[in-house]
Each structure stands twice: as C-alpha cells, then as structure tokens.
Amino acid sequence: MQLTSPRLRAALLAAASLTLTAAVLPPPTPLGIGDTLFPQLGNPGYDVLAYDLSLTYRDNTTPLDAVTQIDARAQEPLERINLDFTHGTVASAEVNGQPARFENAGEDLVLTPAAPVTPGSPLRITIKHTSDPRGIADGGWVPTEDGLAMANQADAAHRVFPCNDHPADKAYFTFRITAPAGLTAVANGLPGALPARTATGATTWRYRTLHPMATELAQVSIGDSAVVHRTGPHGLPLRDVVPAADRERLEPWLKKTPGHIEWMEKRVGRYPFETYGVLIARARTGFELETQTLSLFESGIFSGEGYPEWYVEAVMVHELAHQWFGNSVTPRTWSDLWLNEGHATWYEALYADGLGTYSLERRMREAYQRSDQWRAAGGPPAAPKPAAPGEKIGLFRPAVYDGAALILYALRQEIGAAAFDRLERRWVTEHRDSVAGTQDFVRMASDVAGRDLKPFLEPWLYGKTTPAMPGHPEWGGPKSV
C-alpha cells in the first residue's frame, strides 16, 4: 500500500527508528553526575535551561495530571536521555516533537529519542505523567489540612516531576496549576497572568521565576489560602500565603518581614530575587524550608506555644538568609551544604544577638564545646557522612548548622570583622544566580584577606577534631557533651 500522508509516513518512520535503536542499545541504567552523597542524582550530557510544569489538582488522594516540558541543551552525544523521576506514571514522552521510547531504571526515567542527539543541539522534552501526592515519607508533596505544599530538599523534586534533580543544574521555571474552585494555588516567582476559570469551574494559576532555581527549591502550594501583599525595601513586592482562617492572627508575624529584609541588606546587600514572602502551612513537617522567594513554615511555630518570640523571628531570618546563601548562590555539590546552612545559622545567631536574648559568643562557645561530638557523629562540616537509606533528611545534622557557623566565626576571628563583611558581600555578589563550592569560598576568603587561608580553613572544614579558636584561648579544646 502506498503511504500518501507525510504525517503518517513520519510517524511510522519514527516508530521504526525507535524499535531499531532499542534493539541495539543495552538495557537502560540509572545515571548520576557523581555527587558523593547522592551518586545517582542528576544526569550527565545536558544542561536544563527551563522547566514548564502544568499540574491539575483534584484532592490529596488522587494523583495530579501533569505535563512537564523541559528546554535544555545537549553537551555531549546522547543516544538516551536520563531524567530523575519516580512516584508517578508516564503516559507519553517526546523529544523535539517526536515520540520517544521511555523506560524506568531505578529512580531514572530513560528516554530513547527517535535519533541520537548531537552536542550543542537544543532539546525540548515533553512528558505527560501523573504526580502522586501520597507517600510523604519520600518527600516531595506534603499534605496539609486543606491541600498540598512542596518540600523537595534534598532529593525529592523528582518525586513530583521529571527533572535533572541536582542543585548544580539551575533553570528558570514556569508553573500552570489548575485547582478546584475555592482553592488558591501559588508557586515560586511572580504571577504570569490573572487566574483563569476553566470550563469545568476550576481555576488555572500561572507563575514564573525571573531567576534560575534549583529543583530542590521549587514550591507549589494549593489550599484554602489568603494571599497577603505588601511592599518591602526598594519597592520589593512581598507576598505571604497563609491559611485563610489564620489571616488576622498571623499578621503580627507577617509584618516583620520588611524589617528582616532591611536587616539582611545592611549586611550582605540587596535582596537577590523578584519577590519574597512566607508560606505558612497547616502541616507538621519537623522543619522550615527556604523554597525560593516563598519560604515554607509550619503553622505551629507561630502558635505562641513553646517558642519564644525572639526564637521565631530568628528562624524567619534563617530562611530569609537562605535566599542569598543557598538559593541565589547554590551549592555545587551536596557536600557544600555547610555554605547554605552555616551562613543561614550565622545570620540567625547574629539577629538573636542583636535582640539581646542569646549572645553570638555564647552560642558559638556552646557549639565549640559540642563540635567534636558532631564531627564524630556526622562527619566534618564540608565532608558530611551520607544519610542513612530512606532518611535523606538525616543529612541536615548539627555539624552543617551550628558546626558550620562556627567556621564562619573562626574565620571572622582570624581575618577581622571588616574583611569578613567584605567577603560576605563579595560572595553573594560575584556568585549571584550561579553555583559555587567550598574551594571557591576558600579562594575568595584568601583573596579578601590577602594571604592563603587554605592551611587555616581546611582543618576547620575537613578535620576530625576542631581546631583551636582564634582569640579565645580560654575556650580550651572542644569538649564532647
């Protein structure tokens, strides 16, 4: 039979090509980019430029219908393209508009395009799939009393959508979220258009980021929410998202954010993103999270029960500080996590010191006394031990919080407060919207100080025991308690 339809001929040729390619390629395997702590996280061979995520939400027990579109550029010849993805069902896949074969290998989704991809070629990958909100032990979606939120750190974004799930590959994001009438959907960044009512009565919400973002920092929240707008320093648009029933009760906390931003800007320079705000969820997570432009908080921390006001404010500053340290300047590997958490803890402690409630020196001395114990349990700050299987949140140990802030305190003692302040500003300015690692920090600190600080910093970063603290001989050696 003669084929008269060009479209039909192209479809059959593509299908035949996929069959032939699959016949000669070995079985797919999960890949990674070689991260010490997450060896199968991330994927080699391409650089993601942008994600466009479409999500349709019904309720917390029904998988969301989703379409993930990825714009990327090939960096090497690719017969297959590995994406990180699990906890969802794939219906179809395309690469550059042509159907692609798809298979699972571990927690990878492996695509075989109709033809091998050449280096430097643009890639547009489109995956139709589901995104399952059940199974919170894995991370990703977090059920709340009235809907969902996201908590993707450290390795859970690929439990929500197909991606290159490593912080070294930052990209721009667009979100399109459809939710039933009466619910509000929010995401990172700014609204891309007014909410639009669909034929079924649901509403579609659109958001986009103006700066690249790591997958672990993506945030989508759906619920019975109030969105509170105000203006921050330099006209910065602020947006808080809170349970509608708690709007008035939470206002005393929400109005503190402009002052917190001013406080941070005096120390490290202008806020690095297009907007900021807090997302307060009726959920128990056991943590707060610095999702980019919209930090996630448990509502319980603001209940007034068990947490003094100074502590809550300091935690708010901690997540805000992450917008510079961790979000704008993103770790090159997960072993560089201390640069995120150490800096956020440093500014948290400095803020509490300014309130006159918990002095910085007292906190650092207490950390110094515990430092050897923390290093023995979880590894030194810049070389943490891997988390136990199934407990990835276990990576977030005291050594990368107060133990890492202690490194910054020691560095300030060594080079002086003025040089330290110059280093902090320069770090977030020169690495803005990019990734950087521990050795980048050591080199910049040395340059600012005018001498090689590697011999000083390496024992603090990698030593099994804690070095002597400059300027504090009375502290003696660290004491495990």
Side-chain angles (χ1 to χ4, degrees):
M1 181 177 65
Q2 180 66 36
L3 300 178
T4 57
S5 165
R7 177 177 292 181
L8 180 58
R9 285 200 304 271
L12 290 176
L13 286 171
S17 175
L18 284 174
T19 301
L20 290 171
T21 301
V24 298
L25 288 177
T29 59
L31 300 178
I33 61 171
D35 191 289
T36 303
L37 298 176
F38 296 92
Q40 292 188 338
L41 204 61
N43 299 284
Y46 61 91
D47 173 34
V48 177
L49 307 176
Y51 293 94
D52 190 316
L53 309 181
S54 297
L55 300 163
T56 299
Y57 170 82
R58 296 177 182 81
D59 55 56
N60 281 11
T61 61
T62 305
L64 289 75
D65 290 329
V67 179
T68 296
Q69 180 176 286
I70 301 171
D71 286 314
R73 187 165 297 278
Q75 297 176 316
E76 59 186 59
L78 294 172
E79 293 184 316
R80 282 184 170 141
I81 301 165
N82 280 52
L83 298 168
D84 299 303
F85 184 57
T86 187
H87 215 59
T89 300
V90 175
S92 66
E94 292 183 354
V95 175
N96 291 335
Q98 296 297 316
R101 181 185 177 93
F102 55 91
E103 303 167 85
N104 294 108
E107 293 194 356
D108 278 15
L109 172 65
V110 184
L111 309 183
T112 304
V117 179
T118 58
S121 299
L123 280 173
R124 171 160 287 185
I125 301 167
T126 305
I127 312 291
K128 292 183 179 179
H129 62 97
T130 62
S131 183
D132 199 331
R134 299 166 296 183
I136 61 171
D138 290 333
W141 289 117
V142 175
T144 66
E145 289 185 12
D146 55 348
L148 292 174
M150 248 187 231
N152 292 334
Q153 201 175 77
D155 71 329
H158 69 282
R159 293 178 176 85
V160 177
F161 59 96
C163 58
N164 199 20
D165 197 7
H166 192 279
D169 194 2
K170 299 168 68 167
Y172 293 88
F173 277 73
T174 298
F175 301 89
R176 308 166 202 272
I177 310 145
T178 301
L183 298 181
T184 298
V186 297
N188 312 85
L190 296 171
L194 292 174
R197 186 68 60 87
T198 69
T200 63
T203 302
T204 298
W205 310 72
R206 295 173 176 83
Y207 299 89
R208 60 191 176 92
T209 66
L210 303 188
H211 297 263
M213 179 171 72
T215 51
E216 48 118 358
L217 301 173
Q219 180 59 264
V220 170
S221 172
I222 304 162
D224 182 9
S225 304
V227 181
V228 184
H229 296 278
R230 69 186 82 231
T231 302
H234 321 293
L236 177 71
L238 301 181
R239 170 195 58 163
D240 298 314
V241 182
V242 302
D246 299 335
R247 164 71 183 87
E248 295 302 321
R249 179 179 68 82
L250 292 169
E251 174 60 19
W253 295 107
L254 304 181
K255 68 182 183 182
K256 293 177 182 292
T257 295
H260 293 163
I261 295 174
E262 289 178 356
W263 186 89
M264 279 296 302
E265 288 190 338
K266 287 178 182 178
R267 285 152 183 84
V268 295
R270 289 283 285 263
Y271 176 77
F273 296 122
E274 61 270 22
T275 184
Y276 185 65
V278 299
L279 165 62
I280 300 176
R282 286 187 171 183
R284 291 188 178 184
T285 60
F287 55 82
E288 325 308 323
L289 185 61
E290 65 273 15
T291 40
Q292 191 161 306
T293 72
L294 188 63
S295 294
L296 174 66
F297 292 84
E298 299 174 289
S299 61
I301 196 173
F302 300 101
S303 66
E305 301 174 5
Y307 299 106
E309 183 172 335
W310 70 265
Y311 173 81
V312 177
E313 276 207 69
V315 171
M316 293 176 73
V317 170
H318 179 111
E319 304 308 332
L320 172 62
H322 270 306
Q323 304 301 314
W324 285 265
F325 300 95
N327 296 13
S328 180
V329 185
T330 301
R332 192 179 305 280
T333 74
W334 276 109
S335 294
D336 299 314
L337 176 63
W338 79 273
L339 285 165
N340 300 16
E341 298 301 346
H343 275 101
T345 302
W346 172 259
Y347 289 103
E348 169 196 330
L350 201 61
Y351 189 85
D353 180 85
L355 294 176
T357 55
Y358 188 11
S359 77
L360 178 68
E361 184 168 325
R362 174 188 164 191
R363 182 165 178 173
M364 292 298 99
R365 182 166 186 170
E366 291 172 352
Y368 189 75
Q369 291 172 332
R370 292 166 170 79
S371 179
D372 275 4
Q373 180 185 21
W374 293 339
R375 288 169 184 251
K385 296 177 182 178
E391 298 178 12
K392 299 299 175 61
I393 199 171
L395 181 63
F396 297 83
R397 306 180 182 100
V400 300
Y401 287 86
D402 283 64
L406 190 64
I407 297 173
L408 300 176
Y409 182 80
L411 178 60
R412 191 175 73 161
Q413 291 289 106
E414 178 72 10
I415 68 176
F420 180 82
D421 291 345
R422 290 197 302 273
L423 169 62
E424 294 291 276
R425 285 177 174 267
R426 183 174 163 185
W427 177 255
V428 297
T429 299
E430 293 190 13
H431 294 295
R432 182 177 181 179
D433 286 340
S434 63
V435 300
T438 299
Q439 294 310 309
D440 298 310
F441 187 80
V442 172
R443 282 191 293 269
M444 185 176 287
S446 298
D447 189 53
V448 170
R451 58 189 172 92
D452 185 8
L453 288 174
K454 188 175 180 179
F456 172 77
L457 281 171
E458 286 210 340
W460 281 96
L461 293 165
Y462 301 109
K464 292 183 179 179
T465 58
T466 313
M469 177 60 70
H472 285 289
E474 76 280 8
W475 286 11
K479 300 175 179 63
S480 299
V481 296

